[in-house]
Amino acid sequence: MSEEKTLKISKIEDGIVIDHINPGSAMEVLSVLKINGKSGFTVSLLMNVRTSKGNSKDVVKIEKKNLRKKELDLISMVSPNATINIVENFVIKEKFNVSLPETVHDIIRCQNQNCVTNAKEPVKTVFTMEKKGDKLLYRCHYCERTMTMDEIRNSITK
Ligand code: CTP
Ligand code: ZN
């Protein structure tokens, strides 16, 4: 392909590349990381680009950013197939897939208004993953209410 027809986006020197994000979910990834235009980060965002395998994906590059475990868990809930590339000095030092945590602390808000985690002096939430056929659910440790992945995505990206 001629150069004018090839999509080019700069490599980064230091930071993270979140690759293979579900197509259309890049904004949700930024949302769970609480990154917006006022955060000061240099961010590149690609949406609905073609992969070499002919599928679509989103990509987010954030310069000078580290990710904590909680942030990796949040990304996994928005986009379970995302790949994290940690870049130092232009070189990928580490590459791994996010993975949905078995147990999640203080991330998911329970949708049961009467749950102790929604009380006046709330207890921090704890949810545990369950498989129901090919569907994944997370169950509240306190009231046993379950949440689907769609419900979780809606609640954490708000
Ligand atoms: N990347 C970057 N800056 C760097 C190095 C890599 O922005 N200094 C980006 C690349 O543009 C790409 C992603 O990090 O979007 C992964 O890079 P690489 O592992 O080289 O690409 P692939 O081999 O295609 O990755 P994968 O096998 O994970 O699809
Ligand atoms: Zn609950």
Side-chain angles (χ1 to χ4, degrees):
M1 240 189 284
S2 70
E3 201 165 318
E4 305 85 74
K5 288 187 178 171
T6 321
L7 178 66
K8 288 265 165 112
I9 182 161
S10 298
K11 298 217 162 204
I12 61 170
E13 185 171 354
D14 286 290
I16 49 161
V17 177
I18 310 168
D19 201 354
H20 302 283
I21 299 169
N22 287 347
S25 294
M27 302 285 281
E28 291 177 14
V29 168
L30 288 177
S31 165
V32 297
L33 297 177
K34 304 261 185 284
I35 290 177
N36 59 32
K38 297 199 168 70
S39 312
F41 286 104
T42 302
V43 176
S44 315
L45 191 146
L46 290 167
M47 261 190 204
N48 297 314
V49 292
R50 287 262 159 208
T51 68
S52 50
K53 288 178 184 156
N55 305 315
S56 293
K57 68 172 180 180
D58 287 7
V59 184
V60 171
K61 304 187 184 191
I62 311 166
E63 294 178 43
K64 308 264 163 62
K65 165 91 182 144
N66 302 309
L67 289 176
R68 291 171 295 132
K69 162 84 167 107
K70 185 169 179 175
E71 293 174 313
L72 292 171
D73 287 349
L74 283 162
I75 296 168
S76 76
M77 285 183 246
V78 169
S79 189
N81 301 315
T83 309
I84 309 293
N85 297 272
I86 299 173
V87 179
E88 284 173 31
N89 230 338
F90 288 106
V91 177
I92 296 176
K93 283 284 162 166
E94 225 183 305
K95 183 196 281 282
F96 55 90
N97 297 316
V98 294
S99 58
L100 283 162
E102 290 289 332
T103 309
V104 210
H105 293 265
D106 201 22
I107 287 184
I108 303 170
R109 193 149 24 85
C110 187
Q111 62 184 343
N112 171 10
Q113 289 314 310
N114 297 323
C115 180
V116 64
T117 61
N118 288 317
K120 208 168 167 199
E121 287 180 43
V123 177
K124 285 189 175 158
T125 62
V126 184
F127 279 80
T128 309
M129 184 203 281
E130 273 180 28
K131 294 198 175 87
K132 212 169 197 181
D134 55 0
K135 274 181 97 181
L136 282 182
L137 295 171
Y138 278 88
R139 188 180 295 276
C140 176
H141 174 75
Y142 293 98
C143 74
E144 305 205 328
R145 181 70 66 96
T146 56
M147 287 182 73
T148 65
M149 293 312 298
D150 279 344
E151 287 169 335
I152 291 169
R153 251 189 301 279
N154 281 331
S155 98
I156 62 178
T157 55
K158 260 198 293 222

